[in-house]
Coordinates of all heavy atoms in Angstrom, one line a residue:
M1 N -5.6 -21.0 9.6 CA -6.6 -20.3 10.4 C -7.5 -19.5 9.6 O -7.1 -18.9 8.6 CB -5.7 -19.4 11.4 CG -6.6 -18.7 12.4 SD -5.5 -17.8 13.6 CE -5.1 -16.4 12.6
L2 N -8.7 -19.4 10.0 CA -9.7 -18.6 9.3 C -9.4 -17.1 9.4 O -9.0 -16.7 10.5 CB -11.1 -18.9 9.9 CG -11.7 -20.3 9.7 CD1 -13.0 -20.4 10.4 CD2 -11.9 -20.6 8.2
E3 N -9.8 -16.4 8.4 CA -9.6 -14.9 8.4 C -10.7 -14.3 9.3 O -10.4 -13.3 9.9 CB -9.7 -14.3 7.0 CG -8.6 -14.7 6.1 CD -8.8 -14.1 4.7 OE1 -9.3 -13.0 4.6 OE2 -8.5 -14.8 3.7
L4 N -11.8 -14.9 9.3 CA -13.0 -14.3 10.0 C -13.3 -12.9 9.4 O -13.2 -11.9 10.0 CB -12.8 -14.2 11.5 CG -12.6 -15.5 12.2 CD1 -12.3 -15.3 13.7 CD2 -13.8 -16.5 12.1
R5 N -13.7 -13.0 8.1 CA -13.9 -11.7 7.4 C -15.1 -11.0 8.0 O -16.0 -11.6 8.5 CB -14.2 -12.0 5.9 CG -13.0 -12.5 5.2 CD -13.2 -12.9 3.8 NE -12.1 -13.6 3.2 CZ -12.1 -14.2 2.0 NH1 -13.2 -14.3 1.3 NH2 -11.0 -14.8 1.6
P6 N -15.1 -9.6 7.9 CA -16.1 -8.8 8.7 C -17.4 -8.6 8.1 O -18.3 -8.0 8.7 CB -15.3 -7.5 8.9 CG -14.5 -7.4 7.7 CD -14.1 -8.8 7.3
N7 N -17.6 -9.1 6.9 CA -18.9 -8.7 6.2 C -19.3 -9.8 5.2 O -18.5 -10.7 4.8 CB -18.7 -7.4 5.5 CG -17.8 -7.5 4.3 OD1 -16.7 -8.0 4.4 ND2 -18.2 -7.1 3.1
C8 N -20.6 -9.7 4.8 CA -21.1 -10.5 3.8 C -20.7 -10.0 2.4 O -20.9 -8.8 2.1 CB -22.7 -10.6 3.9 SG -23.5 -11.4 2.5
E9 N -20.2 -10.9 1.5 CA -19.7 -10.5 0.2 C -20.8 -10.0 -0.7 O -20.6 -9.3 -1.7 CB -19.0 -11.6 -0.5 CG -17.5 -11.7 -0.3 CD -16.9 -12.7 -1.2 OE1 -17.1 -12.8 -2.4 OE2 -16.1 -13.5 -0.6
C10 N -22.0 -10.4 -0.3 CA -23.2 -10.1 -1.2 C -23.9 -8.8 -0.7 O -24.0 -7.9 -1.5 CB -24.1 -11.3 -1.1 SG -25.6 -11.1 -2.1
C11 N -24.3 -8.7 0.5 CA -25.1 -7.5 1.0 C -24.3 -6.6 1.9 O -24.8 -5.6 2.3 CB -26.4 -8.0 1.7 SG -26.1 -8.8 3.2
D12 N -23.0 -6.9 2.2 CA -22.1 -6.1 3.0 C -22.6 -6.0 4.4 O -22.2 -5.0 5.1 CB -22.0 -4.7 2.3 CG -20.7 -4.0 2.8 OD1 -19.7 -4.8 3.2 OD2 -20.6 -2.8 2.8
R13 N -23.5 -6.8 4.8 CA -23.9 -6.8 6.2 C -22.7 -7.2 7.1 O -21.9 -7.9 6.7 CB -25.0 -7.9 6.4 CG -25.4 -8.2 7.8 CD -26.3 -9.4 7.9 NE -27.4 -9.3 6.9 CZ -28.6 -10.0 7.0 NH1 -28.8 -10.8 8.0 NH2 -29.5 -9.8 6.1
N14 N -22.7 -6.6 8.3 CA -21.6 -6.9 9.2 C -21.8 -8.3 9.8 O -22.9 -8.7 10.2 CB -21.6 -5.9 10.4 CG -21.1 -4.5 9.9 OD1 -20.3 -4.4 9.0 ND2 -21.6 -3.5 10.6
L15 N -20.7 -9.0 9.8 CA -20.7 -10.4 10.3 C -19.5 -10.5 11.3 O -18.4 -10.9 11.0 CB -20.5 -11.4 9.2 CG -21.6 -11.5 8.2 CD1 -21.2 -12.4 7.1 CD2 -22.9 -12.1 8.9
P16 N -19.8 -10.0 12.6 CA -18.7 -10.0 13.6 C -18.3 -11.5 13.9 O -19.0 -12.4 13.6 CB -19.4 -9.4 14.8 CG -20.8 -9.4 14.5 CD -21.0 -9.4 13.0
P17 N -17.1 -11.7 14.5 CA -16.6 -13.0 14.7 C -17.6 -13.9 15.5 O -17.5 -15.1 15.3 CB -15.3 -12.8 15.5 CG -15.0 -11.3 15.3 CD -16.2 -10.6 14.9
E18 N -18.4 -13.3 16.3 CA -19.3 -14.2 17.1 C -20.6 -14.4 16.5 O -21.5 -15.0 17.0 CB -19.5 -13.5 18.5 CG -20.4 -12.2 18.5 CD -19.6 -11.0 18.2 OE1 -18.4 -11.1 17.7 OE2 -20.1 -9.9 18.3
S19 N -20.8 -13.9 15.2 CA -22.1 -14.0 14.5 C -22.4 -15.5 14.2 O -21.6 -16.2 13.8 CB -22.0 -13.2 13.2 OG -23.2 -13.4 12.5
Q20 N -23.7 -15.8 14.5 CA -24.2 -17.1 14.1 C -24.8 -17.1 12.7 O -25.2 -18.1 12.2 CB -25.4 -17.5 15.1 CG -24.9 -17.6 16.5 CD -24.1 -18.8 16.8 OE1 -24.2 -19.8 16.2 NE2 -23.2 -18.7 17.8
E21 N -24.7 -15.9 12.1 CA -25.3 -15.8 10.7 C -24.3 -16.0 9.6 O -24.6 -16.0 8.5 CB -25.9 -14.3 10.6 CG -27.0 -14.0 11.5 CD -28.2 -14.8 11.2 OE1 -28.7 -14.7 10.1 OE2 -28.7 -15.6 12.0
A22 N -23.0 -16.1 10.0 CA -21.9 -16.1 9.0 C -21.8 -17.5 8.4 O -21.9 -18.5 9.2 CB -20.6 -15.7 9.6
R23 N -21.7 -17.6 7.1 CA -21.5 -18.9 6.4 C -20.3 -18.7 5.6 O -20.0 -17.7 5.0 CB -22.7 -19.2 5.5 CG -24.0 -19.3 6.2 CD -24.1 -20.5 7.1 NE -25.4 -20.6 7.7 CZ -25.7 -20.1 8.9 NH1 -24.8 -19.4 9.6 NH2 -26.9 -20.3 9.4
I24 N -19.5 -19.8 5.5 CA -18.3 -19.8 4.7 C -18.2 -21.0 3.8 O -18.7 -22.1 4.1 CB -17.0 -19.7 5.5 CG1 -16.9 -20.9 6.5 CG2 -16.9 -18.4 6.3 CD1 -15.6 -21.0 7.2
C25 N -17.5 -20.9 2.6 CA -17.2 -22.0 1.8 C -15.8 -22.5 2.1 O -15.1 -21.9 2.9 CB -17.4 -21.6 0.3 SG -16.0 -20.7 -0.4
T26 N -15.3 -23.4 1.3 CA -14.0 -24.0 1.6 C -12.9 -23.0 1.4 O -11.8 -23.1 2.0 CB -13.8 -25.3 0.7 OG1 -12.5 -25.9 1.1 CG2 -13.7 -24.9 -0.8
F27 N -13.1 -21.9 0.6 CA -12.1 -20.9 0.4 C -12.4 -19.7 1.3 O -11.7 -18.7 1.2 CB -12.1 -20.4 -1.1 CG -11.7 -21.4 -2.1 CD1 -12.6 -22.1 -2.9 CD2 -10.4 -21.8 -2.2 CE1 -12.2 -23.1 -3.8 CE2 -9.9 -22.8 -3.1 CZ -10.9 -23.4 -3.9
E28 N -13.3 -19.9 2.2 CA -13.7 -18.8 3.1 C -14.3 -17.6 2.4 O -14.2 -16.5 2.9 CB -12.6 -18.4 4.1 CG -13.1 -17.9 5.4 CD -12.1 -17.4 6.4 OE1 -10.9 -17.8 6.3 OE2 -12.5 -16.7 7.3
C29 N -15.0 -17.8 1.3 CA -15.9 -16.8 0.8 C -16.9 -16.7 1.9 O -17.4 -17.7 2.4 CB -16.5 -17.3 -0.5 SG -15.3 -17.7 -1.8
T30 N -17.3 -15.5 2.3 CA -18.1 -15.3 3.5 C -19.4 -14.6 3.1 O -19.4 -13.5 2.5 CB -17.3 -14.5 4.5 OG1 -16.1 -15.2 4.8 CG2 -18.1 -14.3 5.8
F31 N -20.5 -15.2 3.5 CA -21.8 -14.6 3.3 C -22.7 -14.8 4.5 O -22.4 -15.6 5.4 CB -22.5 -15.4 2.1 CG -21.7 -15.2 0.8 CD1 -20.8 -16.2 0.4 CD2 -22.0 -14.1 0.0 CE1 -20.1 -16.0 -0.8 CE2 -21.3 -14.0 -1.2 CZ -20.3 -14.9 -1.6
C32 N -23.8 -14.0 4.6 CA -24.7 -14.1 5.7 C -25.7 -15.2 5.3 O -25.9 -15.6 4.2 CB -25.4 -12.8 5.9 SG -26.6 -12.3 4.7
A33 N -26.3 -15.7 6.4 CA -27.3 -16.8 6.2 C -28.4 -16.5 5.3 O -28.9 -17.3 4.5 CB -27.8 -17.3 7.6
D34 N -28.9 -15.2 5.3 CA -30.0 -14.8 4.5 C -29.6 -14.9 3.0 O -30.4 -15.4 2.2 CB -30.3 -13.3 4.8 CG -31.4 -13.1 5.7 OD1 -31.9 -14.2 6.2 OD2 -31.8 -12.0 6.0
C35 N -28.4 -14.4 2.6 CA -28.0 -14.4 1.2 C -27.8 -15.9 0.8 O -28.1 -16.2 -0.3 CB -26.7 -13.6 1.0 SG -27.0 -11.8 1.2
V36 N -27.2 -16.7 1.7 CA -26.9 -18.1 1.3 C -28.3 -18.8 1.0 O -28.4 -19.5 0.0 CB -26.2 -18.8 2.4 CG1 -26.2 -20.3 2.2 CG2 -24.7 -18.3 2.4
D37 N -29.3 -18.5 1.9 CA -30.5 -19.2 1.7 C -31.4 -18.7 0.6 O -32.0 -19.4 -0.2 CB -31.3 -19.2 3.0 CG -30.7 -20.0 4.1 OD1 -29.8 -20.8 3.8 OD2 -31.0 -19.8 5.3
K38 N -31.5 -17.3 0.5 CA -32.5 -16.7 -0.3 C -31.9 -16.3 -1.7 O -32.6 -16.2 -2.7 CB -33.1 -15.5 0.4 CG -33.9 -15.9 1.6 CD -34.3 -14.7 2.4 CE -34.9 -15.1 3.7 NZ -35.0 -14.0 4.7
V39 N -30.6 -16.0 -1.7 CA -30.0 -15.5 -3.0 C -29.2 -16.5 -3.7 O -29.3 -16.8 -4.9 CB -29.2 -14.2 -2.7 CG1 -28.6 -13.7 -4.0 CG2 -30.0 -13.1 -2.1
L40 N -28.4 -17.2 -2.9 CA -27.4 -18.1 -3.5 C -27.8 -19.6 -3.5 O -27.2 -20.4 -4.2 CB -26.1 -18.0 -2.7 CG -25.5 -16.6 -2.6 CD1 -24.3 -16.6 -1.6 CD2 -25.1 -16.1 -3.9
G41 N -28.9 -19.9 -2.9 CA -29.4 -21.3 -2.9 C -28.4 -22.3 -2.3 O -28.3 -23.4 -2.7
G42 N -27.5 -21.8 -1.4 CA -26.6 -22.7 -0.7 C -25.3 -23.0 -1.6 O -24.5 -23.8 -1.2
V43 N -25.2 -22.3 -2.7 CA -24.0 -22.6 -3.5 C -23.1 -21.3 -3.6 O -23.6 -20.2 -3.9 CB -24.4 -23.0 -5.0 CG1 -23.2 -23.2 -5.9 CG2 -25.3 -24.2 -4.9
C44 N -21.8 -21.4 -3.4 CA -20.9 -20.3 -3.4 C -20.8 -19.8 -4.9 O -20.5 -20.5 -5.8 CB -19.6 -20.7 -2.9 SG -18.4 -19.3 -3.1
P45 N -21.1 -18.5 -5.1 CA -21.0 -17.9 -6.4 C -19.6 -17.8 -7.0 O -19.4 -17.6 -8.2 CB -21.7 -16.5 -6.3 CG -21.4 -16.2 -4.9 CD -21.4 -17.4 -4.1
N46 N -18.6 -17.9 -6.1 CA -17.2 -17.7 -6.5 C -16.6 -19.1 -6.9 O -15.9 -19.2 -7.9 CB -16.4 -17.2 -5.4 CG -16.9 -15.8 -5.0 OD1 -17.3 -15.0 -5.8 ND2 -16.7 -15.5 -3.7
C47 N -16.9 -20.1 -6.2 CA -16.3 -21.4 -6.5 C -17.2 -22.6 -6.7 O -16.8 -23.6 -7.1 CB -15.3 -21.8 -5.3 SG -16.2 -22.2 -3.8
G48 N -18.5 -22.3 -6.5 CA -19.5 -23.4 -6.8 C -19.6 -24.4 -5.7 O -20.3 -25.4 -5.8
G49 N -18.9 -24.2 -4.6 CA -19.0 -25.1 -3.5 C -20.1 -24.8 -2.5 O -20.8 -23.8 -2.7
G50 N -20.3 -25.6 -1.5 CA -21.3 -25.4 -0.5 C -20.8 -24.6 0.7 O -19.6 -24.2 0.7
F51 N -21.7 -24.3 1.6 CA -21.4 -23.5 2.8 C -21.5 -24.3 4.1 O -22.3 -25.2 4.2 CB -22.3 -22.3 2.8 CG -22.1 -21.3 1.7 CD1 -22.9 -21.2 0.7 CD2 -21.0 -20.4 1.8 CE1 -22.6 -20.2 -0.3 CE2 -20.7 -19.5 0.9 CZ -21.6 -19.4 -0.2
V52 N -20.8 -23.8 5.0 CA -21.0 -24.3 6.4 C -21.1 -23.1 7.3 O -20.6 -22.0 7.0 CB -19.9 -25.2 6.9 CG1 -19.8 -26.5 6.1 CG2 -18.5 -24.5 6.8
L53 N -21.6 -23.4 8.5 CA -21.7 -22.3 9.5 C -20.2 -22.0 9.9 O -19.4 -22.9 10.2 CB -22.4 -22.9 10.8 CG -22.5 -22.0 12.0 CD1 -23.4 -20.8 11.8 CD2 -23.0 -22.9 13.2
R54 N -19.9 -20.7 10.0 CA -18.6 -20.4 10.4 C -18.4 -20.5 11.9 O -19.2 -20.0 12.7 CB -18.3 -18.9 10.0 CG -16.8 -18.5 10.3 CD -16.5 -17.1 9.8 NE -17.2 -16.1 10.7 CZ -17.2 -14.8 10.4 NH1 -16.6 -14.3 9.4 NH2 -17.9 -14.0 11.2
P55 N -17.4 -21.3 12.3 CA -17.2 -21.5 13.7 C -16.9 -20.2 14.4 O -16.2 -19.4 13.9 CB -16.0 -22.5 13.8 CG -15.6 -22.8 12.4 CD -16.3 -21.9 11.5
V56 N -17.3 -20.1 15.6 CA -17.1 -18.9 16.4 C -15.7 -19.1 17.2 O -15.5 -20.1 17.9 CB -18.2 -18.6 17.4 CG1 -17.8 -17.5 18.4 CG2 -19.5 -18.3 16.7
R57 N -14.8 -18.2 17.0 CA -13.6 -18.2 17.8 C -13.8 -17.7 19.2 O -14.3 -16.6 19.4 CB -12.5 -17.4 17.0 CG -11.1 -17.5 17.6 CD -10.1 -16.8 16.7 NE -10.1 -17.5 15.4 CZ -9.5 -17.0 14.3 NH1 -8.9 -15.9 14.4 NH2 -9.6 -17.6 13.1
P58 N -13.3 -18.5 20.2 CA -13.5 -18.0 21.6 C -12.9 -16.6 21.8 O -11.8 -16.3 21.3 CB -12.8 -19.1 22.4 CG -12.8 -20.3 21.5 CD -12.7 -19.8 20.1
A59 N -13.6 -15.8 22.6 CA -13.1 -14.4 22.8 C -11.7 -14.3 23.3 O -10.9 -13.5 22.9 CB -14.1 -13.7 23.8
A60 N -11.3 -15.2 24.1 CA -9.9 -15.2 24.7 C -8.9 -15.4 23.5 O -7.8 -14.8 23.6 CB -9.8 -16.3 25.7
L61 N -9.3 -16.2 22.5 CA -8.4 -16.4 21.4 C -8.4 -15.3 20.4 O -7.5 -15.1 19.6 CB -8.7 -17.7 20.8 CG -8.3 -18.9 21.6 CD1 -8.8 -20.2 21.0 CD2 -6.8 -19.0 21.8
L62 N -9.5 -14.6 20.3 CA -9.7 -13.5 19.4 C -8.6 -12.4 19.7 O -8.2 -11.7 18.8 CB -11.1 -12.9 19.5 CG -12.1 -13.4 18.5 CD1 -13.4 -12.7 18.7 CD2 -11.6 -13.2 17.0
A63 N -8.3 -12.2 21.0 CA -7.4 -11.2 21.4 C -6.0 -11.5 20.8 O -5.3 -10.7 20.3 CB -7.3 -11.1 22.9
K64 N -5.7 -12.8 20.8 CA -4.4 -13.3 20.3 C -4.4 -13.4 18.8 O -3.4 -13.2 18.1 CB -4.0 -14.6 21.0 CG -2.6 -15.0 20.8 CD -2.2 -16.2 21.6 CE -0.8 -16.7 21.3 NZ -0.5 -18.0 22.0
Y65 N -5.5 -13.9 18.2 CA -5.6 -14.2 16.8 C -6.8 -13.4 16.3 O -7.9 -13.9 16.1 CB -5.9 -15.7 16.6 CG -4.8 -16.5 17.1 CD1 -5.0 -17.2 18.3 CD2 -3.6 -16.7 16.4 CE1 -4.0 -18.1 18.8 CE2 -2.6 -17.5 16.9 CZ -2.8 -18.2 18.1 OH -1.8 -19.0 18.6
P66 N -6.7 -12.1 16.1 CA -7.8 -11.2 15.8 C -8.4 -11.5 14.4 O -7.7 -12.0 13.5 CB -7.2 -9.8 15.8 CG -5.8 -10.0 15.8 CD -5.4 -11.3 16.2
A67 N -9.7 -11.2 14.3 CA -10.4 -11.4 13.0 C -9.9 -10.4 12.0 O -9.5 -9.3 12.3 CB -11.9 -11.2 13.3
S68 N -10.1 -10.7 10.7 CA -9.8 -9.8 9.6 C -10.6 -8.6 9.7 O -11.8 -8.7 10.1 CB -10.0 -10.6 8.3 OG -9.9 -9.6 7.2
T69 N -10.1 -7.5 9.3 CA -10.9 -6.2 9.2 C -11.0 -5.8 7.7 O -11.6 -4.8 7.4 CB -10.3 -5.1 10.0 OG1 -8.9 -4.9 9.5 CG2 -10.3 -5.4 11.5
K70 N -10.5 -6.7 6.8 CA -10.5 -6.3 5.4 C -11.8 -6.8 4.8 O -12.1 -8.0 4.7 CB -9.4 -7.0 4.7 CG -9.2 -6.7 3.2 CD -7.9 -7.2 2.7 CE -7.9 -7.1 1.2 NZ -7.9 -8.3 0.5
R71 N -12.7 -5.8 4.4 CA -14.0 -6.1 3.8 C -13.8 -6.6 2.4 O -13.1 -6.1 1.6 CB -14.9 -4.9 3.9 CG -15.1 -4.4 5.3 CD -16.0 -3.2 5.3 NE -17.4 -3.6 5.3 CZ -18.1 -3.9 6.3 NH1 -17.6 -4.0 7.5 NH2 -19.4 -4.2 6.2
V72 N -14.5 -7.7 2.1 CA -14.5 -8.3 0.8 C -15.9 -8.2 0.3 O -16.9 -8.6 0.9 CB -14.0 -9.8 0.8 CG1 -14.1 -10.4 -0.6 CG2 -12.6 -9.9 1.3
L73 N -16.1 -7.6 -0.9 CA -17.4 -7.4 -1.4 C -17.4 -7.7 -2.9 O -16.5 -7.3 -3.6 CB -17.9 -5.9 -1.2 CG -19.3 -5.6 -1.5 CD1 -20.3 -6.4 -0.6 CD2 -19.6 -4.1 -1.3
K74 N -18.4 -8.4 -3.4 CA -18.4 -8.7 -4.8 C -18.9 -7.5 -5.6 O -20.1 -7.1 -5.4 CB -19.4 -9.9 -5.1 CG -18.7 -11.2 -4.8 CD -19.7 -12.4 -5.1 CE -19.8 -12.7 -6.5 NZ -18.5 -13.1 -7.1
A75 N -18.0 -6.9 -6.4 CA -18.3 -5.6 -7.0 C -19.5 -5.8 -8.0 O -20.3 -4.9 -8.2 CB -17.1 -5.1 -7.8
E76 N -19.6 -7.0 -8.6 CA -20.6 -7.2 -9.6 C -21.9 -7.7 -9.0 O -22.8 -8.1 -9.7 CB -20.1 -8.2 -10.7 CG -19.9 -9.6 -10.2 CD -18.6 -9.8 -9.6 OE1 -18.0 -8.9 -9.0 OE2 -18.1 -11.0 -9.6
G77 N -22.0 -7.7 -7.7 CA -23.2 -8.3 -7.1 C -23.1 -9.8 -7.0 O -22.1 -10.4 -7.5
C78 N -24.0 -10.5 -6.4 CA -23.8 -11.9 -6.2 C -25.1 -12.7 -6.7 O -25.8 -13.3 -5.9 CB -23.5 -12.2 -4.7 SG -24.8 -11.8 -3.6
A79 N -25.3 -12.7 -8.0 CA -26.3 -13.5 -8.5 C -25.9 -15.0 -8.3 O -24.7 -15.3 -8.4 CB -26.4 -13.2 -10.0
P80 N -26.9 -15.8 -8.1 CA -26.6 -17.2 -8.0 C -26.0 -17.9 -9.2 O -26.2 -17.4 -10.3 CB -27.9 -17.9 -7.7 CG -28.9 -16.9 -8.1 CD -28.3 -15.5 -8.0
V81 N -25.2 -18.9 -9.0 CA -24.6 -19.6 -10.2 C -25.7 -20.3 -10.9 O -26.6 -20.9 -10.4 CB -23.6 -20.7 -9.7 CG1 -23.1 -21.5 -10.8 CG2 -22.5 -20.1 -8.9
R82 N -25.8 -20.0 -12.2 CA -26.8 -20.6 -13.0 C -26.3 -21.7 -13.9 O -25.3 -21.6 -14.6 CB -27.5 -19.5 -13.9 CG -28.2 -18.5 -13.1 CD -29.0 -17.6 -14.0 NE -29.5 -16.4 -13.2 CZ -30.5 -16.5 -12.3 NH1 -31.1 -17.6 -12.1 NH2 -30.8 -15.4 -11.6
A83 N -27.0 -22.8 -13.9 CA -26.6 -23.9 -14.8 C -26.9 -23.5 -16.3 O -27.9 -22.8 -16.6 CB -27.4 -25.2 -14.5
A84 N -26.0 -23.9 -17.2 CA -26.2 -23.4 -18.6 C -27.3 -24.1 -19.2 O -27.7 -25.2 -18.8 CB -24.9 -23.7 -19.3
Ligands
LIG101 ZN1 -25.7 -11.1 2.9
LIG102 ZN1 -16.3 -20.1 -2.5

């Protein structure tokens, strides 16, 4: 099950469970659409994988399976992965 992390790892913007702006990689590194498009170029800076739109969990199920409240933020900032 997805954690549904509450924020963008890059800019710390709030990404509530119903957000259409949330993007995740296969490890559920979570970023906003702005950072994915403008900063990261569609590549996860943690694992090098791509992103997909995070699916929205229906509200009725959120009550039973609540979203994570643990904020994850990249301390060193989120520069895009650069090819050597
Ligand atoms: Zn962001
Ligand atoms: Zn990742």
Side-chain angles (χ1 to χ4, degrees):
M1 186 174 75
L2 295 175
E3 291 177 38
L4 301 175
R5 295 177 187 168
N7 67 310
C8 170
E9 270 189 46
C10 183
C11 67
D12 202 26
R13 167 191 312 203
N14 288 331
L15 293 171
E18 71 277 11
S19 174
Q20 300 287 333
E21 298 291 300
R23 301 289 183 272
I24 58 173
C25 79
T26 186
F27 294 105
E28 210 184 338
C29 307
T30 304
F31 296 92
C32 71
D34 265 2
C35 289
V36 165
D37 292 344
K38 294 171 189 165
V39 180
L40 303 174
V43 178
C44 176
N46 299 328
C47 68
F51 289 104
V52 295
L53 175 72
R54 187 176 69 185
V56 172
R57 186 168 301 167
L61 288 173
L62 266 177
K64 192 173 176 188
Y65 302 102
S68 168
T69 55
K70 184 169 171 248
R71 301 180 81 84
V72 177
L73 190 62
K74 282 182 75 64
E76 68 276 28
C78 62
V81 177
R82 293 189 193 286

